Amino acid sequence: MALASEQGAESGQSTPAAPPAASTPPETSPAAAPSPTGSTGAPSASRETVASEAAQSLHVPSVPQDLRSPSIAMGGLFAAIGGAHLAPDFKTIADSRPDEAPSKLLQDWEAQRQHPGFSIKAFYAQHFSPPLRRDVSYRRKADENIYDYIQGMWGVLTRQPDKPMSYSSLLPLPYAYVVPGGRFSELYYWDTYFTMIGLYETGQWDLLRGMVKDMASLIDRYGHIPNGTRTYYLSRSEPPFFSLMVDLLAQHDGQGAYRTLLPELQKEYDYWMDGADALKPGQAYRHLVRLSDGTLLLRHWDDLDTPRDESYPEDVATAARAGTRAPSDVYRDLRAGSETGWDFSSRWLADGHTLATIHTTDLAPIEVNCLIAHLEQTLEHGYALTGQRKLARLYGQRADERTAVVRRIFWNDEKNAFYDYDWRKGQTTDVLSAATAMPLFLRLATQAQAMAVADTIQAKLLKPGGIMATDHESGQQWDAPNGWAPEQWMAIKGLNNYGASDLGETIARRWMARVIGTYEKSGVLLEKYDVESPGVSATGGKGGGEYPMQIGFGWTNGTLLGLMRRYPADTAQILRHNPLANQTPIDVLPPSDPYSAVGPQISPDAPAKPAGDVETGGEPGKSASADGASDRTPTDGNGSAKQAAEKTASGGLQSPQAAPLDQRVSTEKMTAFQPS
């Protein structure tokens, strides 16, 4: 079922003055691209300097803002800075703020660089304000346990609403938000969902609600949620978890969350489905691929085909190692690989280990196709709530069709697992990844498929510290031997959805032991861990990837707290073996079905619908009735639906409050980068 041809999207952006090897022609002739239905015009990354759109929505005085990536806005100057290697992490350069408009800065550079003795280092120091980085160091108190750490870290990682700054690459947000940690000092899309799990567990509803509103604000301003809140991320997104964020909020606020955020849910869907109506069999456009039999799949994409701003020198070097391959193709696939959230993994590498062979746009990954099915289910539910039954039926039908596609296209019957699909070759890939659990997490697999996946995970991915990202070791960070918090969480929840609770508990117990054991040795939580090693390392393990191990860390904190609450007996046993991380027993916060949750205030009864919810629900695999109602009765897992709703309405069980930050023995300092 390989495609006959691929039609490229017209980027419309000017190309930065990169080295000659980094020229960036369009993927194919833009004239051949289908006319996208519902398109909002050129990608936002192509806009010139404008009055701050963020300022308009934040109701603050406007400042000049350039929504183009710095590499586009500053062209040859940015490339020259990239070639000078002024910082060990080039993201520092991308985040620096120029002191004048990019066009004026370019003129100054063009004039000055002709002079003898011109120094790009001195020019950068004169015209750019380096970003302030929050370097957090910890000296654990004798009685500080891991729960205290997680609670206190919310304050450390929380950023207050942004103040727009002239020509800054930061996209300001109207509400307080939690950053991942380390070098990631802005909001990131899919990270945020797993961070929100921790906020949900500790009852921090205002912060959670504000972050959902921040996401909605990005959709309203830019037509989608970018990879992160920087202008250089506007040309791509990340795995679309927005509908699951709304689910999480609805479990406390009730059905009003779906009504309020329905316009943004629809815009999110329109972004990912841009061009679908005009796409013919054998064509691909932006995020979409239509196979020769008419099957519609989603892939990852970036509207630019230039080096990534945050990794400019590294990308130029990677393209130079790609032989006869066009640098623009390498850049596009590196960017698309960043949109996957798995940057990088053997999943995206043609030879399984060399980054220069990356071919992300040739692949339809498991996650994005499953997440769009969940988004369609959420749209069905939202339109049913608002009485728009025709639209509800439309999205319900699309969700059912996409579920069937997931079960058919991504399933490998010989290997008993879900795999990514190479649409050029017309077959699944050979890299087994933790993403095989995504259809279970969202209740899209059949019962037989789920049981087979459980066996495969246990045989090939389960290790002493949890499950590995993949069964390949490539040196990339999203491969063996590393394990990541979101993948553990989704696998555990997915296995529980289908009755494989023993394996789910085993993964949870091993992962918690690895994370808590590392905390015992280091006093911090990390973004990833070596789960294959039989021993616990204070540094987390081998690391790998483009940057050093980062501490914080939002999604590790959030999901660990969720697992500790759901497995109190395992948690108690692990803490007995790690006394410095020990804590008093904690209450278990019961889950609830977001599609039938009643908020703090009385809201109309919601139609029951199998939402693919990740917390609870009836037996998987049962279909909805003809009128769209579910034949499942959601409960909290411990009683009736009414009891679940009552617990949700009251905000669930009370959680201990975070320790005041001034009682924590931790220090935080602001440091400005100095060019090397």
Side-chain angles (χ1 to χ4, degrees):
M1 289 187 289
L3 300 192
S5 63
E6 177 177 11
Q7 309 300 329
E10 181 176 6
S11 64
Q13 289 86 1
S14 59
T15 301
S23 60
T24 55
E27 187 175 7
T28 60
S29 173
S35 175
T37 300
S39 173
T40 56
S44 57
S46 67
R47 301 177 197 166
E48 301 286 343
T49 302
V50 296
S52 171
E53 296 179 9
Q56 296 173 20
S57 64
L58 298 177
H59 306 290
V60 297
S62 182
V63 298
Q65 181 184 36
D66 198 311
L67 292 180
R68 297 172 297 173
S69 298
S71 62
I72 300 295
M74 291 185 281
L77 171 58
F78 193 89
I81 295 173
H85 301 285
L86 297 181
D89 183 351
F90 199 74
K91 189 177 186 301
T92 302
I93 303 297
D95 294 351
S96 298
R97 183 166 62 95
D99 63 354
E100 56 187 353
S103 58
K104 180 65 167 60
L105 197 62
L106 273 171
Q107 292 177 7
D108 293 344
W109 173 66
E110 289 287 357
Q112 294 185 33
R113 73 187 183 116
Q114 307 300 327
H115 298 164
F118 172 76
S119 167
I120 189 67
K121 176 181 176 181
F123 186 87
Y124 171 84
Q126 177 185 355
H127 290 283
F128 289 84
S129 298
L132 292 176
R133 297 293 193 213
R134 295 193 176 191
D135 295 329
V136 185
S137 60
Y138 301 93
R139 182 167 54 87
R140 185 171 54 198
K141 291 170 58 177
D143 60 348
E144 183 179 50
N145 56 52
I146 195 166
Y147 190 77
D148 293 334
Y149 172 89
I150 295 173
Q151 290 291 81
M153 279 301 296
W154 296 135
V156 174
L157 297 176
T158 297
R159 303 290 180 264
Q160 296 306 311
D162 298 307
K163 179 181 179 181
M165 296 180 290
S166 299
Y167 305 117
S168 171
S169 65
L170 185 68
L171 302 174
L173 294 172
Y175 299 94
Y177 56 94
V178 179
V179 302
R183 75 197 286 264
F184 304 109
S185 58
E186 51 278 312
L187 191 70
Y188 283 81
Y189 185 177
W190 83 304
D191 297 63
T192 298
Y193 171 70
F194 300 97
T195 297
M196 285 179 175
I197 290 169
L199 302 179
Y200 174 91
E201 297 290 343
T202 51
Q204 299 188 70
W205 307 116
D206 288 343
L207 184 54
L208 190 157
R209 189 180 299 111
M211 292 171 71
V212 174
K213 290 181 178 179
D214 281 332
M215 294 293 184
S217 170
L218 292 168
I219 294 174
D220 288 337
R221 281 147 54 186
Y222 309 116
H224 69 287
I225 301 173
N227 182 160
T229 50
R230 293 280 177 181
T231 58
Y232 54 77
Y233 289 140
L234 278 170
S235 57
R236 62 177 180 268
S237 185
E238 268 195 327
F241 273 85
F242 182 63
S243 57
L244 279 89
M245 296 178 188
V246 179
D247 282 350
L248 205 59
L249 180 61
Q251 287 176 196
H252 176 266
D253 285 8
Q255 302 307 296
Y258 296 107
R259 297 186 184 91
T260 300
L261 295 163
L262 185 57
E264 286 78 19
L265 287 164
Q266 182 65 64
K267 290 177 184 176
E268 168 88 330
Y269 185 76
D270 292 343
Y271 168 76
W272 286 94
M273 299 298 290
D274 182 23
D277 293 345
L279 198 62
K280 298 177 181 179
Q283 289 185 334
Y285 176 78
R286 298 188 80 189
H287 289 105
L288 299 175
V289 176
R290 194 175 293 280
L291 304 181
S292 56
D293 66 356
T295 300
L296 188 66
L297 300 178
L298 286 105
R299 63 174 177 175
H300 285 286
W301 179 261
D302 190 303
D303 287 323
L304 293 175
D305 58 1
T306 58
R308 291 171 298 158
D309 290 52
E310 71 277 18
S311 301
Y312 198 97
E314 294 84 355
D315 286 1
V316 171
T318 298
R321 294 191 295 267
T324 60
R325 192 177 175 202
S328 59
D329 291 342
V330 178
Y331 299 145
R332 178 90 73 188
D333 283 316
L334 286 168
R335 287 173 166 272
S338 294
E339 189 184 71
T340 69
W342 287 49
D343 42 345
F344 292 105
S345 170
S346 59
R347 293 174 68 185
W348 324 130
L349 308 182
D351 69 356
H353 62 272
T354 307
L355 190 57
T357 68
I358 190 167
H359 66 138
T360 321
T361 55
D362 295 344
L363 306 171
I366 302 166
E367 299 99 319
V368 65
N369 286 274
C370 291
L371 287 165
I372 293 299
H374 180 272
L375 177 54
E376 289 166 336
Q377 291 174 337
T378 307
L379 287 169
E380 176 191 9
H381 180 68
Y383 283 122
L385 284 173
T386 57
Q388 301 180 70
R389 299 190 179 279
K390 184 176 180 180
L391 283 172
R393 287 194 296 271
L394 170 65
Y395 285 105
Q397 180 181 355
R398 289 184 179 180
D400 291 343
E401 292 172 350
R402 201 172 305 280
T403 299
V405 167
V406 168
R407 295 174 177 179
R408 174 173 58 91
I409 294 294
F410 298 94
W411 180 251
N412 188 311
D413 203 39
E414 294 180 358
K415 297 181 179 180
N416 284 325
F418 292 97
Y419 284 77
D420 301 317
Y421 187 79
D422 187 324
W423 54 266
R424 289 194 183 276
K425 294 182 178 179
Q427 63 187 34
T428 55
T429 67
D430 62 356
V431 178
L432 174 66
S433 74
T436 192
M438 178 62 89
L440 284 64
F441 176 62
L442 296 177
R443 299 183 184 273
L444 303 179
T446 67
Q447 185 67 31
Q449 287 174 333
M451 293 301 96
V453 165
D455 291 341
T456 301
I457 288 176
Q458 185 165 15
K460 298 185 177 181
L461 294 179
L462 181 62
K463 298 298 177 183
I467 60 171
M468 299 187 299
T470 72
D471 62 350
H472 283 48
E473 185 165 1
S474 67
Q476 298 299 328
Q477 63 176 351
W478 283 90
D479 277 317
N482 288 337
W484 294 74
E487 305 310 320
Q488 315 296 320
W489 177 265
M490 291 189 289
I492 293 164
K493 303 294 287 186
L495 291 165
N496 288 343
N497 284 342
Y498 287 82
S501 55
D502 288 347
L503 178 57
E505 184 174 2
T506 297
I507 296 170
R509 182 172 59 252
R510 294 187 184 187
W511 174 254
M512 289 192 295
R514 182 54 47 99
V515 175
I516 293 172
T518 304
Y519 173 80
E520 175 90 342
K521 292 177 178 292
S522 66
V524 295
L525 297 188
L526 305 171
E527 65 167 340
K528 58 181 178 286
Y529 296 81
D530 177 352
V531 299
E532 190 173 26
S533 172
V536 175
S537 167
T539 61
K542 296 180 179 179
E546 297 184 295
Y547 52 83
M549 184 73 78
Q550 303 295 300
I551 67 171
F553 196 84
W555 62 19
T556 306
N557 303 352
T559 56
L560 177 63
L561 184 58
L563 293 175
M564 291 168 71
R565 290 188 175 280
R566 282 158 179 76
Y567 297 99
D570 292 307
T571 300
Q573 183 179 16
I574 293 167
L575 290 172
R576 281 196 296 270
H577 287 88
N578 296 275
L580 291 180
N582 207 355
Q583 63 180 59
T584 57
I586 53 178
D587 293 323
V588 178
L589 186 66
S592 64
D593 175 9
Y595 280 23
S596 58
V598 179
Q601 298 181 357
I602 297 176
S603 59
D605 292 337
K609 169 68 179 68
D613 74 274
V614 300
E615 292 292 342
T616 185
E619 296 182 11
K622 290 191 175 183
S623 60
S625 58
D627 62 357
S630 172
D631 56 2
R632 301 190 302 170
T633 302
T635 73
D636 67 349
N638 299 307
S640 67
K642 179 181 178 182
Q643 289 171 331
E646 289 173 348
K647 290 179 181 177
T648 304
S650 65
L653 300 180
Q654 294 299 311
S655 303
Q657 296 300 308
L661 290 181
D662 58 4
Q663 295 180 11
R664 291 172 50 79
V665 183
S666 63
T667 59
E668 182 175 21
K669 60 181 179 179
M670 304 293 288
T671 58
F673 162 76
Q674 297 297 327
S676 56

